[in-house]
Amino acid sequence: MRLSVLDLVPVRTDQSTADALAATVRLAQTADRLGFTRYWVAEHHNMPSVGATSPPVLLAYLAAQTSRVRLGSGGVMLPNHAPLAVAEQFALLEAAAPGRIDLGIGRAPGSDPVTSVMLRSGRGDEDIANFPDYLDHVRAMMSSRGVQVQLRDGDYLLKATPAAAGEPRLWLLGSSMYSARLAAAKGLPYVFAHHFSGQGTEEALAYYRENFTPSEVCAAPTTFLTVNASVAETRDEATALMLPNLQMMARLRTGRPLGAVDLVEDAQAAAVSDSEQRIIDSGLRRAVVGTPAEAAEQLAALAEHFAVDEVMINPVASAHRGTDPATAPGRERTCELLAKELL
């Protein structure tokens, strides 16, 4: 089984943004050293617990400090950006780190409605409606051929980079049937965000495989999924390290104000409502959590159930009070213990 890492650059209550970035560099270097297949970073905005706001900026930073692992976006939320800007950014990343760049694209805004409007400079929902066309535009502009833009006085050649020697690998991301249908119709590799809700994974992957249309990008259905993970020497410790993330998701889904990710001791002392506890329990059941042997068994079962040969873990372990703010030992240890079992 291939293992990969999804990183939202979580910001704990004891961390500055600079600390969280330093911890991410250490985690990316750990994944690079241990043989993980790819390391993806997300795009979220105006969230106190998430430091990953600009995938191309962060990927350039990580590319300079890693040597082997594939680096990518999980993902760029295309309605927030002009397609040409996305194509230029990732064509440039591919030129700087050839053969190592993945461009994962999603349709969701990655933020609240107010922030989304500000990101789009007041544009309406036409960017969401035009998402399939924008996807084609990004792909065409990143290629060495470019794309011909039809004007009244003739065609205009548009390229994301003047002399592309390679192209980033394009992936479509999603957590619904919409993305499964679009990926199948366009013949694109597809990643399901199982870590986010765990709902509809089987249906979406089955539809994608059964209705896939081969393309220049992908000759056969190609897919994997994501899952939250926390691994430690004991199951109790792994669960304790995951609790702050579970509580944060419960607050998000019940409409409570969000803050940075709590430390373990604060999460253990926090009061939660019955509805929040149900969300926490559900998230714990969907996650990979436990000792190295338990976690490896859970990952193998997940891969077999959904018929994938790669799983991308989102290492969500928080930290205990007194931890160096520029580190995330629970997240690093999750990767190290899984690699020892599976890689």
Side-chain angles (χ1 to χ4, degrees), residues 71-312:
L71 299 168
S73 55
V76 165
M77 302 295 104
L78 189 53
N80 295 337
H81 311 283
L84 176 57
V86 174
E88 286 182 333
Q89 290 160 357
F90 279 80
L92 192 58
L93 285 168
E94 173 66 23
R100 294 181 58 204
I101 302 301
D102 293 329
L103 170 53
I105 288 180
R107 187 176 68 120
S111 187
D112 60 87
V114 175
T115 305
S116 296
V117 169
M118 298 299 290
L119 283 166
R120 298 180 201 168
S121 300
R123 301 191 310 272
D125 291 339
E126 63 271 14
D127 294 312
I128 297 175
N130 292 331
F131 177 74
D133 292 334
Y134 289 171
L135 199 60
D136 292 339
H137 296 165
V138 170
R139 175 184 163 191
M141 287 185 289
M142 290 192 304
S143 72
S144 59
R145 301 179 304 277
V147 64
Q148 295 286 346
V149 180
Q150 293 183 347
L151 304 176
R152 283 182 296 179
D153 56 352
D155 290 345
Y156 183 85
L157 181 62
L158 189 59
K159 288 186 173 186
T161 187
E167 299 174 26
R169 184 74 187 275
L170 188 62
W171 294 79
L172 186 61
L173 280 55
S175 58
S176 69
M177 286 302 297
Y178 173 90
S179 55
R181 294 188 185 100
L182 187 60
K186 291 187 176 295
L188 293 175
Y190 177 54
V191 181
F192 192 87
H194 184 73
H195 77 283
F196 184 68
S197 69
Q199 300 297 315
T201 308
E202 195 162 10
E203 181 185 8
L205 294 182
Y207 181 95
Y208 169 72
R209 292 182 176 116
E210 292 168 5
N211 295 276
F212 182 84
T213 302
S215 70
E216 292 180 2
V217 175
C218 202
T222 302
T223 188
F224 62 85
L225 53 82
T226 59
V227 64
N228 292 330
S230 176
V231 186
E233 281 73 10
T234 69
R235 183 176 179 85
D236 285 347
E237 174 64 2
T239 304
L241 288 166
M242 181 173 273
L243 182 61
N245 176 267
L246 294 169
Q247 290 182 351
M248 182 184 66
M249 292 306 299
R251 288 193 292 270
L252 175 66
R253 291 176 178 164
T254 55
R256 286 183 57 190
L258 299 178
V261 180
D262 281 336
L263 296 170
V264 169
E265 291 80 3
D266 295 326
Q268 290 174 328
V272 297
S273 66
D274 290 343
S275 59
E276 289 171 333
Q277 189 61 52
R278 286 192 292 271
I279 295 171
I280 291 168
D281 293 341
S282 175
L284 191 61
R285 288 193 297 270
R286 292 196 315 273
V288 168
V289 58
T291 66
E294 290 171 338
E297 183 177 351
Q298 293 165 28
L299 274 172
L302 188 73
E304 181 179 5
H305 179 77
F306 291 111
V308 296
D309 58 10
E310 178 179 343
V311 177
M312 177 172 277

